[in-house]
Amino acid sequence: MSWNSFGRVLRFTTWGESHGPAIGAVVDGCPPGIALTEGDIQPWLDRRRPGTSRFTTQRREPDAVRILSGVFEGRTTGTPISLMIENVDQRSKDYSEVAKAYRPGHADYAYDAKYGFRDHRGGGRSSARETASRVAAGAVARLVIPQVRVRAWVEAIGGDAIDPAAFDPAEIDRNPFFCPDPMAARRWEVLVDTARKAGSSLGAVVACEATGVPAGWGAPLYAKLDAELAAACMGINAVKGVEIGDGFAAAALSGEQNADPMRPGTDAPEFLANHAGGIAGGIATGQPIRLRVAFKPTSSILTPVETITRDGAAAEIATRGRHDPCVGIRGVPVVEAMVALVLADQALLHRAQCG
Amino acid sequence: MSWNSFGRVLRFTTWGESHGPAIGAVVDGCPPGIALTEGDIQPWLDRRRPGTSRFTTQRREPDAVRILSGVFEGRTTGTPISLMIENVDQRSKDYSEVAKAYRPGHADYAYDAKYGFRDHRGGGRSSARETASRVAAGAVARLVIPQVRVRAWVEAIGGDAIDPAAFDPAEIDRNPFFCPDPMAARRWEVLVDTARKAGSSLGAVVACEATGVPAGWGAPLYAKLDAELAAACMGINAVKGVEIGDGFAAAALSGEQNADPMRPGTDAPEFLANHAGGIAGGIATGQPIRLRVAFKPTSSILTPVETITRDGAAAEIATRGRHDPCVGIRGVPVVEAMVALVLADQALLHRAQCG
Amino acid sequence: MSWNSFGRVLRFTTWGESHGPAIGAVVDGCPPGIALTEGDIQPWLDRRRPGTSRFTTQRREPDAVRILSGVFEGRTTGTPISLMIENVDQRSKDYSEVAKAYRPGHADYAYDAKYGFRDHRGGGRSSARETASRVAAGAVARLVIPQVRVRAWVEAIGGDAIDPAAFDPAEIDRNPFFCPDPMAARRWEVLVDTARKAGSSLGAVVACEATGVPAGWGAPLYAKLDAELAAACMGINAVKGVEIGDGFAAAALSGEQNADPMRPGTDAPEFLANHAGGIAGGIATGQPIRLRVAFKPTSSILTPVETITRDGAAAEIATRGRHDPCVGIRGVPVVEAMVALVLADQALLHRAQCG
Amino acid sequence: MSWNSFGRVLRFTTWGESHGPAIGAVVDGCPPGIALTEGDIQPWLDRRRPGTSRFTTQRREPDAVRILSGVFEGRTTGTPISLMIENVDQRSKDYSEVAKAYRPGHADYAYDAKYGFRDHRGGGRSSARETASRVAAGAVARLVIPQVRVRAWVEAIGGDAIDPAAFDPAEIDRNPFFCPDPMAARRWEVLVDTARKAGSSLGAVVACEATGVPAGWGAPLYAKLDAELAAACMGINAVKGVEIGDGFAAAALSGEQNADPMRPGTDAPEFLANHAGGIAGGIATGQPIRLRVAFKPTSSILTPVETITRDGAAAEIATRGRHDPCVGIRGVPVVEAMVALVLADQALLHRAQCG
């Protein structure tokens, strides 16, 4: 099956392939009366845009978004918001070899197994290019919940992690790695450059924090806030793991070590720890929501890898063309977008039932 | 919002609280003509049943399931299957203190923040007791996809992991820990006993493998197989992390290290590795599906923890009563059930679109 | 496919067969804090209950509802409300002939064609008995929107209509036909008695009005209020037509005749007519919602009808046993329930998007 | 709420306003491998296109559809199909008066009541222009179920009905009224011309038949085939009534008169009548599906009607501009499209559960 919609009441549907004429998203259920222009969306797309540094793919896409519906005189009308981004820099010739042999780690074989054939140009629908639609939709979601701030960054590349003590949010947008630790950013420059020149690639861990989420958002039991976030992030290209709060580290703790004690506070309880990542029983506690997302290294590498052709013959494939040496870097704005979309949906869901 | 249904075409809805008269699940969309009796469900419930060893809660529940609809002359009719499990061993007196003060790490505060009040008896709806309904529904799901085998086990407790070299599937059901490594099982006996006697608790990591999943199942882009599995598992009580395949370890690898090369095989391609955990582009590759789930330590501990009362006053709470010292152990059959439910749903979804 | 859930955010799922141990509904998404006991539901079930007069089936069912979850200390908790009604007066022997030959007009043949076999006892899942679950769920829905009053009645039986001038709402519950015109009620007594004694049956038209629905409810374009009402009512057993406002009569009018002019009013506009039945563009206008529903005559008749057996052989079937001579009569509380469920769902949906 | 998606597994989402840059639909869940080009869609759009005769609105729209995704080398890939139709002949000046005063019978007041403001240009989102998106999506749906033929026609205009004995399907596309009775078509020419010149409008009844639907499609109990068709048709602009089979006429019959007896047939049972319109228990019986849809007269008329302004002041409004004198005429391809979409969705749903 294909299932290209996400969300319960604030729903979005994306469409489009890497090398088709355009990609886009339809955002439905957005509250009316919100000021919205292309200018509110474009900056977020620009953060995800390829070709901005030598550490990302060299495909040059302006990623200019157009709003085709749902906005009148600068405000949302409550009707579906159609967002379209034209594809400009497709080069189909780069992908001729891919039509014949499956690139291991990519969706090539799986799509063929499922659908019988596939649009092989640039990965078609399975290309990370689709995530531009998510970022555009996420920009709308942010406006639905202006009280919430969603911010992600890269926490580790190829196993080299930031120093938590050096965390400086102001640094995140000052380097091409969304890295909050300037020392780590310098190390990563060498690391990623080396991988890039060798035609290799690296995995990464992206962390995300959402502040301003009020206690009560979350839809137990089968649309729990943490379950929705896990689905939203695990569905991003190349993601293989999601943690809420302490995640796997919590599995090695005792109950005493993992406790998040509470004290009376001024407006809300004061929490003395946040091992839980701001979610209990699938419902926000009012603390910052914290999660971590593991991106595998880009599967496109220059080293030839054993594979098979569409006809089942043995082959070797080395993926030339334009690729991100570390797809996790541009995953930062995508994680943010998905988290914003989940939170905005949960905000409306909460209002539906609890007023 | 509440959202107590899961699944796209094979859907189930659960209901019931820890201390109400009963809990249950309605499974809808099950194919007709499948042989089904209570005897097909009960063994799976018995694996999850409390009170079977000193390492789980001492609440004594027979967890006897009744099929109230959807089966005629021993076969499913294609209409909704209503499953009910009566609660027998509720002891509401145990929970009087909980009504007043919030147990940190539990859903108490979050439910109050969301709904204004809550059924505090035994955690009410947020109790792990609800997972019995999932296990019952999962037993039906298994019958929908008889070609698939879903098997989970505990991989680590309190940070003490099994030796992968000692992995013996036959051991899993021979000890009270679902532990595939007999040496580890012996160590955990001491570990969990110590925690239990101290009124403490421990986290755990559960691993799961599904074999027999054909290439092609999975619904890109927003019901990807891995995203559905992540949502299904992250929604289980006490779960804080989910990994597919190598998960977070993949984030520290290079593209070469993480490659899953392919060779021509007899019926299907032969894969030389399975870093991806059997899923590419959100679609099954035909390899075993592999995932890992992190359970935090049970939040109920005897050590007093700072907290607040419903009225916002400072308090301390020590959670007496009957609790699992390591909730991850009984998480094993629940993880299996959720994985089976996702796979059965994806099987039907795949058939819907791709015949 | 089976699809046994209805609603977008206030959702209910029903289960159960005519001759199984019980039937029931799970209502999910109900707001918390609403006072709810079995006593709030039972009176509505009693209106639909069989065996209360000689004009309905003689099956004797107490239709006593039990609330199994979702209510604590007399108030809804926001978690799923499980409602169960035990079947008491099944007589499976009555239906032995039905197992072999298809009753024309019933779902027998269609269920076999779909599922390969069926629970033939009393119609199994396709029995009108299932509508008791809807009435129970509808009673909950009424409490969600206390400002709304939903009231239905029978407008015609076997082509014999009430006199609109004689409409007296107080009469509706004073006769066994939910007839607002006492003269018509007397005529129908003869009419239905004659049909009943002859083993025949009659069709009916049920009208419904909902007052107190605020302007703005409705979810364009594919969950329009009128579309949801049409689906809700067309899905009731034996229903073959639904009209909103003037319905088919409007198709014979000119634009001038069909206009609903507006004037300034005190709190809301004053409408000078209501041809539209209170809905424009799929959204409530604040006027009374008006709809009409056509029930076909019960398909169970004593006159032998040509049919085929399960093996495809020619046969004749005369449906003995206990049946409603005019199923439309007991359709009145069912129409009310479905309308209440749609309106409560739309109320919550409206709040989700528009605050 | 807005809810702009329809369908369970074959789902489509539409977007766009009458006077925005474009309108469109995203069709998701379409099976892969189906030959599809713009040429398969355009003829159906041309049937609905305005300005083709003096009996429809004089707005001139080429309604040229573009496929933006989901098709590769002429075949569907199984990924979402994005369809876009540019708006060409908007004339916003025509609608200046509408911004101030509400047109009775239109969605103006209801949209303002719901969303606080609205895109008033040409009715914005509530314009019948949106139905072009449905027709485009419906063209795709037809290809999903090539064994099914869906055909609609106008059965009555302003109360003047066709002669059933004169029904000739070949006539339907030979006159501007989709009228299967040439004599009626001639009468309607006068009728509609008179209304048009007087600035008046007329209602209409559209009938639809789907042949080739196999016994078994339909998803009881809450996505019954008839309920889905009712929702699909009642959601079309200006529709106020839907009947399946004999509809309201069945409510005046006895059980004997309404029986659909069966006899053994060659491949399938032979039915001796089709009062039920090919659906029993919400499931197709294999007979032709038959339904009727009532369209109210266009609410836009030249005769001034009492109304109120946005500020609540008394006003009169006469709707100038370009309008269909009988909106039911162009409803024919829209009804066909919605019926095709429901049937294709049910076909896939049936396959999901029943193989």
Side-chain angles (χ1 to χ4, degrees):
Chain A
M1 192 68 201
S2 278
W3 205 282
N4 293 279
S5 299
F6 189 88
R8 311 277 169 175
V9 294
L10 183 75
R11 280 153 296 124
F12 71 97
T13 302
T14 75
W15 56 268
E17 281 83 39
S18 172
H19 283 53
I23 60 172
V26 182
V27 181
D28 198 9
C30 179
I34 297 176
L36 177 68
T37 68
E38 277 97 352
D40 294 304
I41 303 172
Q42 198 60 52
W44 303 106
L45 279 170
D46 291 346
R47 290 182 83 213
R48 197 212 70 100
R49 195 150 53 86
T52 52
S53 84
R54 70 179 185 276
F55 306 107
T56 64
T57 172
Q58 294 307 300
R59 178 167 171 171
R60 303 272 167 186
E61 286 290 349
D63 276 354
V65 67
R66 278 187 70 198
I67 299 174
L68 295 177
S69 68
V71 174
F72 182 59
E73 296 179 346
R75 287 186 296 154
T76 58
T77 57
T79 62
I81 301 166
S82 179
L83 305 169
M84 187 167 74
I85 299 165
E86 283 185 57
N87 288 328
V88 170
D89 188 24
Q90 313 101 309
R91 296 191 203 160
S92 288
K93 59 187 164 175
D94 286 347
Y95 295 97
S96 53
E97 192 183 10
V98 178
K100 287 180 217 137
Y102 299 124
R103 295 167 302 167
H106 280 280
D108 300 350
Y109 169 70
Y111 266 69
D112 261 18
K114 181 171 195 69
Y115 299 118
F117 83 120
R118 72 189 196 283
D119 179 350
H120 57 259
R121 301 164 305 161
R125 178 71 182 151
S126 71
S127 165
R129 173 129 195 81
E130 185 269 348
T131 58
S133 300
R134 306 187 195 205
V135 172
V140 177
R142 286 179 191 266
L143 300 174
V144 173
I145 43 169
Q147 71 272 46
V148 172
R149 181 176 182 187
V150 179
R151 189 174 57 182
W153 58 89
V154 176
E155 203 174 270
I157 289 185
D160 180 11
I162 61 167
D163 174 5
F167 183 92
D168 177 0
E171 286 295 320
I172 294 172
D173 283 320
R174 287 198 193 126
N175 59 72
F177 304 107
F178 300 111
C179 178
D181 166 359
M183 294 292 284
R186 242 164 286 163
R187 297 196 306 271
W188 295 352
E189 206 168 313
V190 180
L191 200 65
V192 180
D193 242 355
T194 309
R196 183 177 63 84
K197 287 174 185 163
S200 181
S201 65
L202 294 165
V205 174
V206 171
C208 185
E209 183 182 74
T211 51
V213 176
W217 289 6
L221 290 178
Y222 294 105
K224 281 179 175 174
L225 183 47
D226 35 7
E228 298 283 279
L229 290 168
C233 292
M234 194 68 95
I236 299 171
N237 306 46
V239 170
K240 303 306 286 184
V242 180
E243 295 181 315
I244 305 292
D246 283 3
F248 278 85
L253 299 180
S254 70
E256 292 76 16
Q257 293 164 325
N258 193 54
D260 292 329
M262 303 164 78
R263 269 187 206 158
T266 18
D267 296 326
E270 182 194 346
F271 286 89
L272 306 187
N274 189 7
H275 297 281
I279 304 175
I283 303 173
T285 60
Q287 294 171 278
I289 307 289
R290 287 192 183 134
L291 54 100
R292 294 167 80 247
V293 182
F295 286 80
K296 69 174 182 182
T298 317
S299 299
S300 305
I301 50 175
L302 265 181
T303 307
V305 183
E306 272 189 86
T307 190
I308 60 170
T309 65
R310 288 207 64 190
D311 307 323
E316 277 208 332
I317 194 160
T319 316
R320 282 172 202 88
R322 305 165 297 175
H323 301 291
D324 286 282
C326 175
V327 75
I329 298 170
R330 291 206 294 137
V332 164
V334 184
V335 167
E336 286 181 357
M338 293 306 295
V339 170
L341 284 155
V342 165
L343 291 172
D345 187 31
Q346 291 276 2
L348 301 190
L349 267 176
H350 180 69
R351 188 160 70 180
Q353 188 181 23
C354 299
Chain B
M1 194 67 199
S2 278
W3 204 282
N4 292 279
S5 300
F6 189 87
R8 311 277 171 175
V9 295
L10 183 75
R11 281 152 296 125
F12 71 98
T13 301
T14 75
W15 55 268
E17 281 83 38
S18 172
H19 284 54
I23 61 173
V26 182
V27 181
D28 197 10
C30 179
I34 298 176
L36 177 68
T37 68
E38 276 97 352
D40 295 304
I41 302 172
Q42 196 61 51
W44 303 106
L45 279 170
D46 291 345
R47 290 181 83 214
R48 196 212 71 99
R49 195 150 54 86
T52 53
S53 84
R54 70 179 185 276
F55 306 107
T56 63
T57 170
Q58 294 308 299
R59 177 167 172 173
R60 303 271 165 186
E61 285 290 348
D63 275 354
V65 68
R66 280 186 69 197
I67 300 176
L68 295 177
S69 69
V71 174
F72 182 58
E73 296 178 347
R75 287 187 296 154
T76 58
T77 56
T79 61
I81 302 166
S82 179
L83 305 169
M84 187 167 75
I85 299 165
E86 285 185 56
N87 289 328
V88 170
D89 188 24
Q90 315 100 307
R91 297 192 203 158
S92 288
K93 59 188 162 175
D94 287 347
Y95 295 96
S96 54
E97 192 184 10
V98 178
K100 285 179 217 139
Y102 299 125
R103 294 168 302 168
H106 281 281
D108 301 351
Y109 170 70
Y111 266 70
D112 260 18
K114 182 172 195 67
Y115 298 117
F117 82 121
R118 72 189 197 282
D119 179 349
H120 57 260
R121 300 165 304 160
R125 178 71 182 151
S126 72
S127 166
R129 174 130 195 80
E130 185 269 348
T131 59
S133 301
R134 306 187 193 206
V135 171
V140 177
R142 286 179 190 265
L143 300 174
V144 173
I145 45 169
Q147 71 272 46
V148 172
R149 181 173 182 190
V150 179
R151 191 173 56 183
W153 59 88
V154 176
E155 206 174 87
I157 290 185
D160 180 10
I162 61 167
D163 174 4
F167 183 92
D168 178 359
E171 286 294 322
I172 294 172
D173 284 320
R174 288 197 194 127
N175 59 70
F177 304 107
F178 301 110
C179 177
D181 168 0
M183 294 291 286
R186 241 163 289 164
R187 296 196 307 272
W188 296 351
E189 207 169 311
V190 179
L191 200 64
V192 180
D193 242 355
T194 309
R196 183 178 64 83
K197 286 173 185 163
S200 180
S201 66
L202 294 165
V205 174
V206 170
C208 184
E209 184 183 72
T211 53
V213 176
W217 290 4
L221 290 178
Y222 294 106
K224 283 180 174 174
L225 182 48
D226 36 6
E228 298 282 280
L229 290 168
C233 292
M234 194 67 94
I236 299 171
N237 305 45
V239 170
K240 302 307 287 185
V242 180
E243 295 181 314
I244 305 292
D246 284 3
F248 277 85
L253 299 180
S254 70
E256 293 77 15
Q257 294 164 324
N258 192 55
D260 292 328
M262 303 163 78
R263 268 186 207 159
T266 18
D267 297 327
E270 182 195 344
F271 286 88
L272 306 186
N274 189 8
H275 297 283
I279 304 173
I283 303 174
T285 60
Q287 296 170 277
I289 307 289
R290 286 192 184 133
L291 55 99
R292 295 167 80 248
V293 182
F295 285 81
K296 69 175 183 182
T298 317
S299 299
S300 304
I301 49 174
L302 266 180
T303 307
V305 184
E306 271 189 85
T307 189
I308 59 169
T309 65
R310 291 206 62 189
D311 308 323
E316 276 207 335
I317 194 161
T319 318
R320 283 172 202 86
R322 304 166 299 175
H323 301 290
D324 286 282
C326 173
V327 74
I329 297 171
R330 291 205 295 137
V332 165
V334 184
V335 166
E336 286 182 357
M338 293 307 295
V339 169
L341 284 156
V342 166
L343 291 171
D345 187 32
Q346 290 277 0
L348 301 190
L349 266 176
H350 181 68
R351 187 159 73 179
Q353 188 181 23
C354 299
Chain C
M1 194 66 200
S2 278
W3 205 282
N4 292 279
S5 299
F6 189 88
R8 311 278 169 174
V9 293
L10 183 74
R11 282 152 296 123
F12 70 98
T13 302
T14 74
W15 55 269
E17 283 82 39
S18 172
H19 284 52
I23 59 173
V26 182
V27 182
D28 197 10
C30 179
I34 297 176
L36 176 68
T37 68
E38 277 97 351
D40 295 304
I41 303 173
Q42 199 60 52
W44 303 106
L45 279 170
D46 291 345
R47 289 182 83 213
R48 197 212 71 100
R49 193 150 54 87
T52 51
S53 83
R54 69 179 186 276
F55 306 108
T56 64
T57 172
Q58 293 307 299
R59 178 167 173 173
R60 304 272 165 184
E61 286 290 350
D63 276 354
V65 69
R66 278 187 70 198
I67 299 175
L68 295 176
S69 69
V71 174
F72 182 59
E73 297 180 344
R75 288 187 295 154
T76 58
T77 56
T79 62
I81 301 166
S82 178
L83 305 169
M84 186 167 75
I85 300 166
E86 285 185 56
N87 289 328
V88 170
D89 189 23
Q90 314 100 308
R91 298 191 203 161
S92 288
K93 58 186 165 176
D94 286 347
Y95 295 96
S96 54
E97 192 183 11
V98 178
K100 287 179 215 138
Y102 298 126
R103 295 168 302 168
H106 281 281
D108 301 349
Y109 169 71
Y111 266 70
D112 259 18
K114 181 172 195 68
Y115 298 117
F117 84 121
R118 72 189 196 285
D119 180 349
H120 57 259
R121 301 165 305 161
R125 179 72 181 149
S126 71
S127 165
R129 173 128 196 81
E130 185 268 349
T131 58
S133 300
R134 307 188 194 205
V135 172
V140 177
R142 286 178 191 267
L143 300 175
V144 174
I145 44 170
Q147 70 273 45
V148 172
R149 182 175 180 188
V150 179
R151 190 173 57 184
W153 59 88
V154 177
E155 203 174 271
I157 289 184
D160 180 11
I162 60 166
D163 175 4
F167 183 92
D168 177 0
E171 286 293 321
I172 294 172
D173 283 321
R174 288 198 193 127
N175 59 70
F177 304 106
F178 300 110
C179 177
D181 167 359
M183 294 292 285
R186 242 164 286 164
R187 295 195 309 270
W188 293 352
E189 206 169 312
V190 180
L191 200 64
V192 180
D193 241 355
T194 308
R196 183 178 65 82
K197 286 173 186 165
S200 180
S201 66
L202 294 165
V205 174
V206 170
C208 184
E209 184 182 74
T211 52
V213 176
W217 290 5
L221 290 178
Y222 294 104
K224 282 179 174 174
L225 183 48
D226 36 7
E228 298 283 279
L229 290 169
C233 292
M234 194 67 95
I236 300 171
N237 306 45
V239 169
K240 303 305 287 184
V242 180
E243 296 181 314
I244 305 292
D246 284 3
F248 277 85
L253 299 180
S254 70
E256 292 77 14
Q257 292 164 325
N258 193 54
D260 292 329
M262 302 164 80
R263 267 185 208 160
T266 18
D267 296 327
E270 181 194 346
F271 286 89
L272 307 186
N274 188 7
H275 296 282
I279 304 174
I283 303 172
T285 60
Q287 295 171 278
I289 306 290
R290 287 193 183 135
L291 55 99
R292 294 167 79 247
V293 181
F295 285 81
K296 70 174 182 182
T298 317
S299 298
S300 304
I301 49 175
L302 265 181
T303 307
V305 184
E306 272 189 86
T307 190
I308 60 169
T309 65
R310 290 207 63 189
D311 306 324
E316 277 208 333
I317 194 161
T319 318
R320 283 172 202 86
R322 302 166 300 176
H323 301 290
D324 287 282
C326 174
V327 75
I329 298 169
R330 291 206 293 137
V332 165
V334 184
V335 167
E336 287 181 357
M338 293 306 296
V339 169
L341 284 156
V342 166
L343 291 171
D345 187 32
Q346 290 277 0
L348 300 191
L349 266 175
H350 180 68
R351 189 159 71 178
Q353 188 180 23
C354 299
Chain D
M1 194 67 199
S2 278
W3 205 281
N4 291 280
S5 301
F6 188 88
R8 311 276 170 174
V9 293
L10 183 76
R11 280 152 298 123
F12 71 97
T13 301
T14 74
W15 55 268
E17 282 82 38
S18 172
H19 284 54
I23 60 173
V26 182
V27 181
D28 197 9
C30 181
I34 297 176
L36 177 67
T37 67
E38 276 98 350
D40 295 304
I41 302 172
Q42 198 61 51
W44 302 106
L45 279 171
D46 291 346
R47 290 182 83 214
R48 196 213 71 99
R49 192 149 56 84
T52 52
S53 83
R54 70 180 185 276
F55 306 108
T56 63
T57 171
Q58 294 309 298
R59 179 167 170 172
R60 304 271 165 187
E61 285 291 348
D63 274 354
V65 68
R66 279 187 71 197
I67 299 175
L68 295 177
S69 69
V71 175
F72 182 58
E73 296 179 348
R75 287 187 296 154
T76 58
T77 56
T79 61
I81 302 165
S82 178
L83 306 169
M84 187 168 73
I85 300 165
E86 284 185 56
N87 289 328
V88 171
D89 189 23
Q90 313 102 307
R91 297 191 202 159
S92 286
K93 60 186 164 179
D94 287 347
Y95 295 97
S96 53
E97 192 184 11
V98 177
K100 286 180 217 139
Y102 298 126
R103 295 167 303 167
H106 281 280
D108 301 350
Y109 170 70
Y111 266 69
D112 260 19
K114 182 172 195 66
Y115 298 117
F117 83 121
R118 72 190 197 282
D119 179 350
H120 58 261
R121 300 164 305 159
R125 178 72 181 149
S126 72
S127 165
R129 174 130 195 82
E130 185 269 349
T131 60
S133 300
R134 306 188 194 206
V135 171
V140 177
R142 286 178 190 267
L143 300 174
V144 173
I145 44 169
Q147 70 272 46
V148 172
R149 181 174 183 191
V150 179
R151 190 174 57 185
W153 59 88
V154 176
E155 204 174 87
I157 289 185
D160 180 11
I162 61 165
D163 174 5
F167 183 92
D168 178 0
E171 286 294 322
I172 293 171
D173 282 321
R174 286 197 194 127
N175 60 69
F177 304 106
F178 301 111
C179 178
D181 167 359
M183 294 291 286
R186 241 163 288 162
R187 295 196 307 270
W188 295 352
E189 207 170 311
V190 181
L191 201 63
V192 180
D193 242 356
T194 308
R196 183 178 64 83
K197 287 173 185 164
S200 180
S201 65
L202 294 166
V205 174
V206 170
C208 184
E209 184 182 72
T211 53
V213 176
W217 290 5
L221 291 177
Y222 294 105
K224 283 180 174 173
L225 183 47
D226 36 6
E228 298 282 281
L229 290 169
C233 292
M234 194 68 93
I236 300 171
N237 306 45
V239 170
K240 303 306 286 185
V242 180
E243 294 181 314
I244 305 292
D246 284 2
F248 277 85
L253 298 181
S254 70
E256 293 77 15
Q257 293 164 327
N258 192 54
D260 292 330
M262 303 164 79
R263 268 185 207 159
T266 17
D267 296 327
E270 181 194 346
F271 286 89
L272 307 186
N274 189 7
H275 297 284
I279 303 174
I283 302 172
T285 60
Q287 295 172 276
I289 307 289
R290 286 192 183 133
L291 55 98
R292 296 167 79 246
V293 181
F295 285 82
K296 69 175 183 180
T298 318
S299 299
S300 303
I301 49 174
L302 266 180
T303 307
V305 183
E306 272 189 84
T307 191
I308 59 169
T309 65
R310 289 205 65 188
D311 307 323
E316 278 208 333
I317 194 161
T319 319
R320 283 172 202 85
R322 304 165 300 176
H323 301 289
D324 286 282
C326 174
V327 75
I329 297 170
R330 291 205 295 137
V332 164
V334 184
V335 167
E336 286 181 358
M338 293 306 295
V339 169
L341 284 156
V342 166
L343 291 171
D345 186 33
Q346 290 277 0
L348 300 190
L349 266 177
H350 181 68
R351 188 159 71 178
Q353 188 181 22
C354 299

